[in-house]
Amino acid sequence: MGFFDDKKEFLEATFAKYPPEGRRAAIMPLLRRVQQEEGWIRPERVEEIARLVGTTATEVMGVASFYSYYQFVPTGRYHLQVCATLSCKLAGADELWDYLTQELGIGPGEVTPDGLFSVQKVECLGSCHTAPVVQVNDEPYVECVTRARLKALLEGLKAGKRLEEIELPGRCGHHVHEVEV
């Protein structure tokens, strides 16, 4: 049985957004649905999407492999993505990466034995002003990450808390200073 066999309404609604000759435009929403429900993109899902949109598996993989969002190996319940571009590097992302991988005992493409965590370095997450930045799954960013904030994040996730329930130490953001005239 294919992933989309029981998702006819989803497929109809998705394909209705594009002209019949433009079904290939639906690659991204189909990939996203698989990623959201299964946590990673299996080769057989790539083949299925290719058949549904009338293209090749190579084209689907070309689209999917461009984006760090899509995973091609199983991930943990919490997939931690550490921004690795210049602003985050200058703000300490490499040290956070080292701490994270040592603390969890895993590297890229691995999952902790309890199935909770996987890690990945990603390109710019677009929040340079709050560097360094970590993203958990596709939730809002955790910004201004320090070792203490990362430790609190891991403890909260291990305890089963939702991201918004985790109290992170320290402050984040820019402070506007009033100027007397």
Side-chain angles (χ1 to χ4, degrees):
M1 180 169 161
F3 176 82
F4 292 100
D5 288 352
D6 63 348
K7 296 170 180 59
K8 298 296 183 202
E9 286 182 30
F10 168 77
L11 288 174
E12 288 172 8
T14 300
F15 290 140
K17 295 175 186 176
Y18 309 103
E21 68 278 2
R23 284 179 76 126
R24 289 177 24 221
I27 291 172
M28 294 280 289
L30 299 183
L31 285 167
R32 183 167 176 80
R33 182 69 180 257
V34 172
Q35 178 73 38
Q36 287 176 323
E37 290 191 27
E38 294 192 338
W40 65 296
I41 310 293
R42 304 166 192 263
E44 58 268 25
R45 300 301 180 234
V46 171
E47 294 283 345
E48 183 178 3
I49 290 169
R51 281 192 305 277
L52 287 167
V53 302
T55 191
T56 65
T58 301
E59 184 175 6
V60 174
M61 273 304 292
V63 171
S65 64
F66 181 79
Y67 298 95
S68 62
Y69 173 78
Y70 301 114
Q71 304 303 311
F72 305 102
V73 294
T75 58
R77 177 175 176 198
Y78 304 111
H79 185 63
L80 305 174
Q81 301 159 84
V82 178
C83 181
T85 48
L86 185 60
S87 294
C88 286
K89 277 185 180 294
L90 293 174
D94 288 340
E95 293 80 8
L96 291 173
W97 174 260
D98 292 343
Y99 171 77
L100 181 63
T101 56
Q102 288 171 358
E103 185 71 20
L104 297 175
I106 58 171
E110 299 175 335
V111 178
T112 54
D114 59 8
L116 282 181
F117 297 101
S118 55
V119 296
Q120 176 185 13
K121 280 189 178 182
V122 295
E123 291 306 313
C124 189
L125 289 171
S127 191
C128 301
H129 63 293
T130 59
V133 179
V134 173
Q135 187 173 23
V136 180
N137 302 333
D138 61 351
E139 297 292 324
Y141 301 149
V142 179
E143 301 170 314
C144 306
V145 180
T146 60
R147 183 182 286 227
R149 289 171 74 84
L150 186 55
K151 182 178 179 183
L153 175 66
L154 291 175
E155 289 172 358
L157 293 173
K158 286 177 185 175
K161 292 183 179 180
R162 292 191 329 264
L163 197 57
E164 62 271 10
E165 297 173 332
I166 300 172
E167 290 191 36
L168 301 174
R171 298 182 67 179
C172 184
H174 300 283
H175 308 287
V176 177
H177 300 283
E178 291 184 19
V179 178
E180 290 185 35
V181 180

